[in-house]
Amino acid sequence: EIVLTQSPGTLSLSPGERATLSCRASQSVTSDYLAWFQQKPGQAPRLLIYGASNRATGIPDRFSGTGSGTDFTLTITRLEPEDFAVYYCQQYGSSPNTFGQGTKLEIK
Amino acid sequence: QVQLQESGPGLVRPSGTLSLTCTVSGGSISSTNWWTWVRQPPGKGLEWIGEIFPSGITNYTPSLKSRATISLDKSRNQFSLKLSSVTAADTAVYYCVRDKGGLDYWGQGTLVTVSS
């Protein structure tokens, strides 16, 4: 099974700043089938990015995904107050699908 | 707009069987998507449990494969999860999710507590 390691565990930034979140896979992710999710307290996760770089429906363009193979990045330019949440990456190219452990983006 | 809603007991006894159903509305469960279960223990991260395709093909995470069964009821537009021999470690919020090349539609989640 593919293990996904996210870094950092916690990221402290201010509104208006740029956030860079990393997801590293223990082996190459098939066809770059890598997704990113945002989760706020008490809510279900929301799909942000699929296929490593494709924004899901309704996701603002300040969210972008890059990377391939084993190294992937989620970038959020110009942080808004509603962006502070926990972010998870997930690979769905190899069964079993697996999630990273999450990165908490908190207000500095 | 596709909507998913989990239902089932919120409390299960240790060694018992957890049974949850997901009702899909706004779309057909027979469409070419995978239907997935994900869980999240309190205060922890997400765990992918398994999935089912309309043809009946299933995949499970290895750590739960011996205890989990996912099935489909096309007549009711529902899919279900059964998890046997539960322990306190199975206490979690359980989500049903549509996978259309990405987990795009999620249920609100239901907390299942394993306790005597």
Side-chain angles (χ1 to χ4, degrees):
Chain A
E1 116 179 15
I2 295 179
V3 176
L4 299 178
T5 302
Q6 293 186 239
S7 60
T10 302
L11 185 56
S12 300
L13 294 171
S14 301
E17 291 192 295
R18 178 188 186 98
T20 303
L21 287 68
S22 173
C23 177
R24 178 162 291 178
S26 60
Q27 55 189 281
S28 185
V29 175
T30 302
S31 303
D32 294 337
Y33 284 156
L34 192 287
W36 289 94
F37 298 86
Q38 177 193 69
Q39 188 179 33
K40 297 180 180 179
Q43 296 184 16
R46 178 173 71 145
L47 178 66
L48 300 174
I49 301 289
Y50 65 93
S53 61
N54 302 289
R55 272 188 301 275
T57 303
I59 301 303
D61 61 7
R62 64 179 182 273
F63 291 90
S64 63
T66 58
S68 65
T70 60
D71 288 293
F72 299 87
T73 300
L74 174 69
T75 301
I76 313 170
T77 57
R78 302 180 309 276
L79 283 166
E80 299 286 343
E82 62 268 26
D83 297 337
F84 292 91
V86 179
Y87 292 82
Y88 295 94
C89 59
Q90 180 226 5
Q91 70 79 25
Y92 53 101
S94 303
S95 190
N97 297 1
T98 49
F99 288 94
Q101 82 279 17
T103 289
K104 182 179 181 180
L105 177 56
E106 64 177 24
I107 299 177
K108 187 174 183 179
Chain B
Q1 175 81 347
V2 175
Q3 293 185 319
L4 294 87
Q5 178 68 59
E6 305 89 353
S7 59
L11 178 66
V12 181
R13 304 301 183 194
S15 78
T17 297
L18 178 159
S19 296
L20 294 174
T21 296
C22 182
T23 301
V24 179
S25 58
S28 173
I29 205 165
S30 297
S31 58
T32 53
N33 305 304
W34 289 90
W35 302 96
T36 301
W37 287 96
V38 173
R39 70 179 183 178
Q40 185 171 37
K44 297 188 178 180
L46 302 167
E47 180 180 25
W48 185 87
I49 298 171
E51 62 187 356
I52 188 166
F53 199 69
S55 64
I57 296 172
T58 53
N59 294 303
Y60 299 97
T61 194
S63 62
L64 297 175
K65 187 173 183 177
S66 63
R67 298 194 292 127
T69 302
I70 299 174
S71 59
L72 211 59
D73 186 338
K74 294 181 181 179
S75 66
R76 297 186 176 187
N77 224 38
Q78 296 175 333
F79 65 108
S80 299
L81 169 69
K82 291 189 185 298
L83 188 64
S84 63
S85 305
V86 297
T87 69
D90 296 308
T91 293
V93 174
Y94 286 77
Y95 296 100
C96 58
V97 196
R98 187 184 83 165
D99 186 347
K100 190 179 177 69
L103 298 174
D104 58 353
Y105 285 98
W106 293 65
Q108 66 185 24
T110 186
L111 174 63
V112 179
T113 302
V114 178
S115 175
S116 57

